[in-house]
Amino acid sequence: MEEKEIRKERLKQLKDLGYSSHPYSYPSEETISSIVEKFREKQGEELEKFNVSTAGRILTIRRMGRATFLHISDGKEKLQIFMGENSLGKKKYSDFKLFNTGDWIGVKGSLFRTKTGELTILCEDFSFLAKSLLPLPEKWHGLQDVEVRFRKRYLDLLVNRRTREIFEKRAEIISKLREFFQRKGFIEVETPMMHPVLGGAAAKPFVTHHNSLDMDLYLRIAPELYLKRLVVGGMERVFEIGRNFRNEGISPFHNPEFTMLEFYWAYRDYNFLMGLTEEIFQEIAMKIWGKLEGEYQGKKINLSSPWKKLKFMDSISNASGIREESLWDEEFVIKKANELFPEEEVLPSTYSKSLDFLFDKFVRGELFQPTFVIDLPKVLSPLAKEHRQDGRLTERFELFIGGMELANAFSELTDPEEQKNRFEEQVKRKEEGAEVDLDYIEALKYGLPPTAGEGIGIDRTIMIFTDSPNIREVILFPLLRKK
RNA sequence: GAGCCGUUAGCUCAGUAGGUAGAGCACCGGCCUUUUAAGCCGGGAGUCGCAGGUUCAAUUCCUGUACGGCUCACCA
């Protein structure tokens, strides 16, 4: 008989013995984690007076005749169970022979420590909770196959402890961010994910359709324009944590749906945001690393203030040797970008793409320590306010850590007339995600106060703090091809 | 989307310079009441990703294809 059939057969046998095959509930009193936590330091008689009742999945079984050891898990911690014929009785002990690894079990008993000092429940009674009809992946090597890990994340979580840790840290970081912004007097909102008009970023959208309204809708590429409408409406400090959707390629740093934090703070500018950003990341670091220094992919990252600031145009000029004044020559930049990398398959065709391209080639990879790249040109920044000292630039920064762009922020453009011109300019350049959002411009006409806004890529932030080289490691169910 | 690599038992992996496959874990049976990658003895388990081609013979060679990984490109 194959293993699957054996397990099925054993479920039937348990049923015949009077066990419910799919019980409705189990009155466990504590999780395995809480027991492990509570009795970590306790020894001997102090320990043995405690009776506990818990439940979990069986990970390993070691049978030795009339005694059996198992480890059960609540997904986070493991706890050893001892089953002896003496304490359970012959019949009950023999019933346990029908259990396999992977099965769910409820356990009651007293606590003790084994010879080697491991905390263990001396089992006095157990309940059958669910059968695993399929065998678990291997206990020693875990589940290695990347594809299976992502497609069957439940198995990955079961067997690979690190996976659980990543998603616990993810939850901690997100709740830290919520707490941070609430503490600063922000209100959390949810804006539409289905947009009739595209905007807020430069990206290809997913398109969907509403039947009864007979209307095409875009899955949002950014919540930006809605959040600023809320600032117009008097929400002076507002934030949203949510999913964005971009119909672009997939890479170690890009998943088609990803989570972003966006926030807007009225009466502030981008200079203020740089300080705030340092504060945010430092609070996360203290929570996750316990200090301001951590390691990402084998290299130290130091988040102590102040972080380096690099002017966008300077950084390209310094790294590439192209004179800064030449970088303002649109034709020259396009030509140069194409000449410098003749082996590239897809070469940039527009000025803004060429600038971005040069930045990526010469600068981005070098930005391992936290760095604000500041004062990006207007052509790259249709929603940012003109720089107060240089009309060709905007008051904008992008934050890089570990060679990844983690945040993007600016002093928001508040002038409806100029916003309209910038949108139209974009449409003329046929840029991705470019549409003139007249409704947004109307909102601006009611007056957007001076406002600073920022988006922080949550998935990439999690990558840094969990030392993950690939975005899929920090997303529970990353998009994969249909099999 | 392009280039390179991978896909063998439930899992982790060997292997066959072309003669239809092995190990460890898991699983089953036996012995075993402090084990913890328990141990000892015995056993079952595979359309060698899928489809074609070459060949007396293909898991192995060739072609195509699916899925995945890495690198590059668009993008946060």
Side-chain angles (χ1 to χ4, degrees):
Chain A
M1 245 197 305
E2 236 182 289
E3 184 166 358
K4 286 182 230 173
E5 283 146 30
I6 290 163
R7 285 172 181 254
K8 214 168 159 184
E9 175 61 26
R10 288 192 163 177
L11 180 60
K12 197 171 152 273
Q13 288 172 5
L14 282 162
K15 221 170 159 181
D16 293 343
L17 285 168
Y19 291 90
S20 166
S21 58
H22 298 92
Y24 286 89
S25 67
Y26 178 75
S28 61
E29 284 157 15
E30 280 184 277
T31 64
I32 290 163
S33 299
S34 72
I35 293 171
V36 168
E37 174 64 27
K38 213 157 113 190
F39 298 99
R40 184 162 282 145
E41 306 297 333
K42 297 225 167 27
Q43 301 287 339
E45 282 176 25
E46 199 196 352
L47 187 70
E48 281 155 24
K49 64 183 183 222
F50 285 102
N51 278 291
V52 293
S53 157
T54 189
R57 191 193 281 273
I58 301 173
L59 293 183
T60 58
I61 302 178
R62 292 175 293 284
R63 299 181 202 267
M64 294 174 305
R66 287 188 295 282
T68 296
F69 286 92
L70 39 147
H71 273 116
I72 65 173
S73 161
D74 62 357
K76 191 176 174 184
E77 296 290 345
K78 282 191 285 193
L79 181 57
Q80 183 164 260
I81 312 296
F82 176 82
M83 293 195 181
E85 208 177 66
N86 289 350
S87 48
L88 273 172
K90 264 201 162 137
K91 176 181 183 298
K92 193 84 188 178
Y93 185 78
S94 148
D95 290 353
F96 183 74
K97 287 180 184 153
L98 296 171
F99 281 65
N100 292 104
T101 54
D103 294 354
W104 295 83
I105 190 171
V107 173
K108 285 192 187 89
S110 56
L111 289 165
F112 75 107
R113 282 188 188 277
T114 61
K115 275 183 194 165
T116 52
E118 180 168 350
L119 183 68
T120 304
I121 297 179
L122 176 65
C123 182
E124 278 142 26
D125 193 19
F126 65 80
S127 298
F128 172 77
L129 301 182
K131 193 82 194 160
S132 175
L133 295 170
L134 297 171
L136 254 37
E138 207 223 17
K139 62 183 175 189
W140 189 242
H141 299 92
L143 183 64
Q144 302 290 330
D145 188 310
V146 180
E147 185 178 353
V148 178
R149 284 184 51 229
F150 295 154
R151 284 191 198 274
K152 302 185 184 175
R153 195 60 111 162
Y154 48 94
L155 290 179
D156 187 29
L157 284 164
L158 262 175
V159 164
N160 298 323
R161 200 191 150 77
R162 177 173 152 73
T163 303
R164 171 69 177 244
E165 281 165 8
I166 286 174
F167 291 101
E168 270 169 22
K169 283 182 187 165
R170 181 174 177 121
E172 273 181 57
I173 289 167
I174 291 173
S175 69
K176 178 81 212 172
L177 287 166
R178 283 218 159 81
E179 183 267 321
F180 182 92
F181 283 97
Q182 281 157 4
R183 182 174 7 113
K184 298 277 185 189
F186 277 71
I187 180 169
E188 180 172 6
V189 298
E190 291 171 279
T191 62
M193 294 208 189
M194 302 201 294
H195 290 187
V197 179
L198 196 60
K204 293 189 196 98
F206 288 94
V207 185
T208 187
H209 185 79
H210 189 279
N211 288 344
S212 62
L213 293 177
D214 189 22
M215 178 168 71
D216 281 339
L217 291 160
Y218 303 106
L219 298 190
R220 74 174 175 199
I221 55 175
E224 171 147 1
L225 301 182
Y226 282 96
L227 290 170
K228 282 190 279 194
R229 282 175 173 93
L230 296 178
V231 182
V232 170
M235 290 185 167
E236 296 180 359
R237 295 176 200 183
V238 65
F239 78 100
E240 175 165 10
I241 295 174
R243 218 68 68 81
N244 292 320
F245 308 86
R246 299 191 182 173
N247 206 341
E248 312 270 359
I250 294 175
S251 86
F253 311 101
H254 303 267
N255 195 61
E257 50 178 309
F258 63 101
T259 302
M260 204 150 80
L261 161 72
E262 271 201 26
F263 65 92
Y264 292 84
W265 192 328
Y267 321 126
R268 297 290 181 272
D269 64 9
Y270 83 134
N271 291 308
F272 175 82
L273 286 186
M274 284 189 256
L276 191 79
T277 303
E278 292 183 9
E279 203 182 323
I280 292 168
F281 279 84
Q282 286 165 356
E283 282 202 18
I284 296 172
M286 289 313 289
K287 183 157 182 180
I288 301 296
W289 292 338
K291 53 184 179 180
L292 294 183
E293 206 175 78
E295 199 167 284
Y296 183 66
Q297 300 299 296
K299 283 197 248 172
K300 285 237 168 8
I301 287 180
N302 189 342
L303 297 181
S304 307
S305 295
W307 295 354
K308 206 163 131 190
K309 289 178 186 148
L310 270 184
K311 289 186 176 167
F312 182 81
M313 291 303 237
D314 284 357
S315 72
I316 298 178
S317 172
N318 290 337
S320 69
I322 301 169
R323 280 181 45 242
E324 205 206 308
E325 276 319 299
S326 310
L327 289 175
W328 290 105
D329 181 338
E330 304 207 0
E331 275 175 40
F332 176 83
V333 167
I334 297 170
K335 206 175 108 223
K336 200 77 186 168
N338 283 267
E339 273 172 15
L340 284 171
F341 300 92
E343 75 282 6
E344 291 294 326
E345 291 156 24
V346 183
L347 285 157
S349 52
T350 65
Y351 176 56
S352 56
K353 277 187 181 169
S354 299
L355 270 183
D356 235 8
F357 178 84
L358 291 176
F359 179 81
D360 276 359
K361 285 286 169 191
F362 286 111
V363 189
R364 192 180 61 185
E366 305 303 312
L367 305 179
F368 199 84
Q369 296 305 321
T371 306
F372 294 114
V373 172
I374 65 170
D375 300 348
L376 285 82
K378 253 189 204 170
V379 280
L380 293 179
S381 317
L383 298 162
K385 202 172 235 166
E386 182 176 300
H387 196 283
R388 59 196 88 178
Q389 265 122 42
D390 186 339
R392 302 172 300 179
L393 301 174
T394 55
E395 297 203 347
R396 174 180 175 192
F397 69 80
E398 292 183 325
L399 169 65
F400 291 82
I401 303 178
M404 287 187 279
E405 185 186 339
L406 289 190
N408 181 19
F410 28 91
S411 303
E412 299 296 336
L413 177 54
T414 51
D415 177 346
E417 282 306 312
E418 193 183 343
Q419 184 65 77
K420 189 156 180 257
N421 294 339
R422 299 260 203 109
F423 277 153
E424 282 164 357
E425 182 74 9
Q426 256 189 306
V427 171
K428 224 187 289 169
R429 289 172 181 270
K430 293 204 168 100
E431 282 172 24
E432 301 290 0
E435 253 186 89
V436 181
D437 190 335
L438 294 171
D439 185 73
Y440 173 67
I441 290 170
E442 185 181 339
L444 288 185
K445 285 183 182 163
Y446 283 97
L448 176 64
T451 299
E454 178 165 346
I456 297 177
I458 296 300
D459 311 282
R460 289 180 181 177
T461 301
I462 314 280
M463 286 170 72
I464 294 287
F465 287 105
T466 58
D467 194 17
S468 301
N470 194 307
I471 198 166
R472 293 165 153 199
E473 294 292 340
V474 305
I475 292 174
L476 279 168
F477 298 99
L479 186 65
L480 297 176
R481 259 193 189 82
K482 210 161 126 187
K483 236 190 156 165

